[in-house]
């Protein structure tokens, strides 16, 4: 018979100890605020300050607790936020590979009926079947998969608005995320990106002389590459070739047998830089998946690693969905962008902690 009391005690102790570690270096009021927020969000599974305050069950009026948390959210300094991020990095980086996979993606939180939020902008609602353009905020995210259980752990998550004065471009926000991850990891990385990153600005970044990182980017169908010195469309190239290497792909509902091939190509903007085009047949009945990478392929195992590395990109999508559904992230009712970012960082750390617990699943309850 399971000892459920022990399980609950272990869980509470784990949350408390983790919160204390994250708060190292903060003053006492800030420590209490962060620990209250982390426990409250965990307990209530909600980012609403009213629900968090109820979970704390303080012997004062509920409105006073809400006001205290709201004031701390608004006044929490960037220096203090950077301290808890640094403490968080020290706890999670040890669970990552020597050359980790970094998953880049953008998401959004929708405020369909929001009017009073600071610098609210228009975003595309990815959960809408029609791709509605609605009020909300963009989120730039970078997650790293753990070495054993392949859990996605976010190292960077920033909520921003295109209406803010300091906003430059969405590409600029992405480069900030890349630089932040590289500074935190201090090692060679492989950046994995979807078709939204198939743009010359990213190839310019990854192929510059002082960049030692690898990349795997899924190509759009209209991308042209140089093959044996001639410009060719990647879709036309894919149709004229066929997969030579058999590979088994494992999904939650079904397993698929796919066939993979590769060839050496160049970008017209970076002649002389040899890249690898990887084409995957069998995932779809109508189209092929085309990946461009600066990794070299010398055997079929190298091909398998590239394809599996890209397929792990879906884990950042699962990470987004978990935050939105489990903690109701889109329900945030704080008005300033700064307060939203403090809340978003707290949720990022909570989900990262869950990833660490999953990585240690054989060691702890």
């Amino acid at each position: 018979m399971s000892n459920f009391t022990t399980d609950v005690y272990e869980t509470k102790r784990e949350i408390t100890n983790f919160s204390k570690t994250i708060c190292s270096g903060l003053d006492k009021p800030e420590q209490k605020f962060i620990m209250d927020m982390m426990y409250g969000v965990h307990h209530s599974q909600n980012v609403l300050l009213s629900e968090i305050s109820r979970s704390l069950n303080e012997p004062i009026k509920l409105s006073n607790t809400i006001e205290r948390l709201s004031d701390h959210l608004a006044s929490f300094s960037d220096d203090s936020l950077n301290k808890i991020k640094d403490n968080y990095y020290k706890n999670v980086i040890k669970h990552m590979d020597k050359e980790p996979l970094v998953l880049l993606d953008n998401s959004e939180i929708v405020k369909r009926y929001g009017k009073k939020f600071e610098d609210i902008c228009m975003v595309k609602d990815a959960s809408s079947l029609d791709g509605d353009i609605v009020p909300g905020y963009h989120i730039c995210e970078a997650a790293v998969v753990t070495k054993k259980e392949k859990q996605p752990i976010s190292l960077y998550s920033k909520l921003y608005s295109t209406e803010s004065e300091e906003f430059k471009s969405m590409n600029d926000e992405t480069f900030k995320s890349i630089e932040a991850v590289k500074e935190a990891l201090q090692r060679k990385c492989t950046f994995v990106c979807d078709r939204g990153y198939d743009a010359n600005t990213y190839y310019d970044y990854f192929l510059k002389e002082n960049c030692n990182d690898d990349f795997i980017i899924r190509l759009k169908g209209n991308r042209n590459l140089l093959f044996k010195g001639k410009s060719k469309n990647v879709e036309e190239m894919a149709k004229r070739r066929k997969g030579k290497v058999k590979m088994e792909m494992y999904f939650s509902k079904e397993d698929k047998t796919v066939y993979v091939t590769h060839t050496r190509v160049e970008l017209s903007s970076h002649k002389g830089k040899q890249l690898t085009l990887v084409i995957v047949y069998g995932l779809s009945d109508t189209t092929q998946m085309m990946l461009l990478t600066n990794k070299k392929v010398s055997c079929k195992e190298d091909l398998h690693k590239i394809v599996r590395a890209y397929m792990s990109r879906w884990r950042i999508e699962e990470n987004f969905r978990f935050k939105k559904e489990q903690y109701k992230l889109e329900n945030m009712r704080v008005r300033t962008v700064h307060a939203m970012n403090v809340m978003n960082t707290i949720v990022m750390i909570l989900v990262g902690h869950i990833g660490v617990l999953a990585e240690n699943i054989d060691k702890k309850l």
Side-chain angles (χ1 to χ4, degrees):
M1 179 177 175
S2 297
N3 191 333
F4 295 111
T5 303
T6 303
D7 291 352
V8 171
Y9 172 75
E10 284 277 345
T11 304
K12 285 185 176 180
R13 185 174 65 179
E14 191 72 40
I15 294 168
T16 302
N17 291 341
F18 184 75
S19 299
K20 287 179 179 178
T21 304
I22 295 303
C23 293
S24 177
L26 301 181
D27 57 35
K28 287 188 177 180
E30 288 179 327
Q31 287 185 20
K32 176 173 171 50
F33 164 68
I34 292 297
M35 292 180 70
D36 284 348
M37 288 294 293
M38 292 188 70
Y39 175 79
V41 175
H42 255 309
H43 188 273
S44 66
Q45 302 285 283
N46 207 313
V47 294
L48 279 177
L49 291 182
S50 57
E51 295 301 317
I52 295 170
S53 300
R54 287 189 179 91
S55 297
L56 297 178
N57 197 27
E58 294 183 330
I60 57 175
K61 289 183 179 180
L62 181 65
S63 59
N64 292 343
T65 303
I66 296 173
E67 185 177 356
R68 175 175 68 84
L69 296 180
S70 179
D71 289 343
H72 272 290
L73 270 178
S75 62
F76 201 77
S77 69
D78 290 335
D79 287 341
S80 296
L81 199 61
N82 289 331
K83 282 181 183 178
I84 65 173
K85 286 180 184 178
D86 290 340
N87 293 332
Y88 168 68
Y89 295 154
K90 292 174 184 176
N91 274 270
V92 299
I93 286 175
K94 57 189 175 185
H95 300 288
M96 296 165 187
D97 280 321
K98 292 181 180 178
E99 188 178 326
L101 288 179
V102 182
L103 316 176
L104 301 178
D105 205 1
N106 290 296
S107 185
E108 73 291 323
I109 62 169
V110 172
K111 293 291 185 183
R112 193 174 289 267
Y113 306 107
K115 294 181 180 180
K116 300 294 184 180
F117 295 100
E118 181 186 20
D119 293 338
I120 194 165
C121 63
M122 302 303 290
V123 300
K124 184 177 180 179
D125 185 1
S127 62
S128 169
L129 295 177
D130 299 322
D132 297 339
I133 305 298
V134 296
Y137 296 92
H138 298 278
I139 294 181
C140 182
E141 191 107 6
V144 183
V145 294
T146 57
K147 55 188 174 185
K148 188 178 72 172
E149 298 294 329
K150 307 303 179 186
Q151 293 292 324
I153 296 182
S154 288
L155 292 187
Y156 184 93
S157 184
K158 181 184 176 184
L159 179 146
Y160 68 92
S161 167
T162 56
E163 297 296 324
S164 298
E165 288 185 7
E166 63 270 19
F167 174 77
K168 293 181 181 179
S169 68
M170 296 182 77
N171 288 341
D172 180 66
E173 296 295 335
T174 300
F175 290 133
K176 286 179 183 177
S177 72
I178 294 172
E179 291 298 329
V181 169
K182 289 172 67 172
E183 184 178 351
L185 292 173
Q186 293 292 309
R187 65 188 80 168
K188 182 179 179 180
C189 303
T190 298
F191 290 90
V192 183
C193 316
D194 68 359
R195 283 173 286 199
Y197 297 83
D198 178 20
N200 288 339
T201 184
Y202 294 108
Y203 297 127
D204 291 343
Y205 178 88
F206 287 120
L207 294 174
K208 62 187 178 184
E209 291 297 328
N210 61 344
C211 183
N212 297 317
D213 300 301
D214 290 339
F215 67 86
I216 302 171
I217 298 177
R218 186 173 180 178
L219 296 176
K220 298 174 185 174
N222 60 356
R223 166 63 64 178
N224 284 356
L225 296 173
L226 294 179
F227 176 67
K228 296 182 179 179
K230 295 182 179 180
S231 178
K232 293 184 179 294
N233 176 264
V234 289
E235 276 196 347
E236 293 300 319
M237 289 177 65
K239 289 176 182 177
R240 294 177 182 179
R241 303 175 72 89
K242 60 181 180 180
K244 297 179 180 179
V245 177
K246 185 178 179 181
M247 184 176 177
E248 300 295 331
M249 301 296 296
Y250 305 103
F251 299 96
S252 58
K253 294 183 179 179
E254 61 176 333
D255 298 341
K256 274 204 171 191
T257 300
V258 300
Y259 294 86
V260 188
T261 190
H262 77 285
T263 187
R264 301 296 282 172
V265 294
E266 297 176 7
L267 286 162
S268 58
S269 58
H270 292 85
K271 292 180 180 180
K273 291 272 188 179
Q274 288 289 310
L275 303 174
T276 303
L277 171 65
V278 177
I279 308 171
V280 183
Y281 301 84
L283 286 175
S284 169
D285 295 332
T286 56
T287 60
Q288 295 79 40
M289 185 171 74
M290 300 159 294
L291 308 174
L292 188 66
T293 179
N294 58 345
K295 287 179 174 291
K296 293 182 179 179
V297 175
S298 57
C299 59
K300 67 178 183 179
E301 284 74 20
D302 292 339
L303 265 182
H304 287 188
K305 287 179 181 178
I306 291 170
V307 176
R308 294 196 190 283
Y310 179 77
M311 296 306 293
S312 69
R313 198 202 68 81
W314 290 105
R315 293 184 178 272
I316 197 171
E317 302 279 358
E318 296 168 355
N319 193 48
F320 283 136
R321 186 170 65 250
F322 181 81
K323 288 198 295 185
K324 289 180 180 180
E325 293 180 0
Q326 190 72 21
Y327 293 113
K328 303 175 179 63
L329 189 64
E330 291 184 315
N331 261 351
M332 276 195 290
R333 303 285 175 85
V334 291
R335 292 185 178 180
T336 67
V337 173
H338 174 76
M340 289 182 191
N341 264 314
V342 175
M343 180 71 80
N344 183 55
T345 300
I346 290 170
V347 174
M348 178 191 80
I349 291 172
L350 288 174
V351 177
H353 180 225
I354 293 171
V356 170
L357 292 179
E359 183 71 2
N360 295 325
I361 196 72
D362 295 330
K363 299 178 182 178
K364 296 190 177 184
L365 290 171

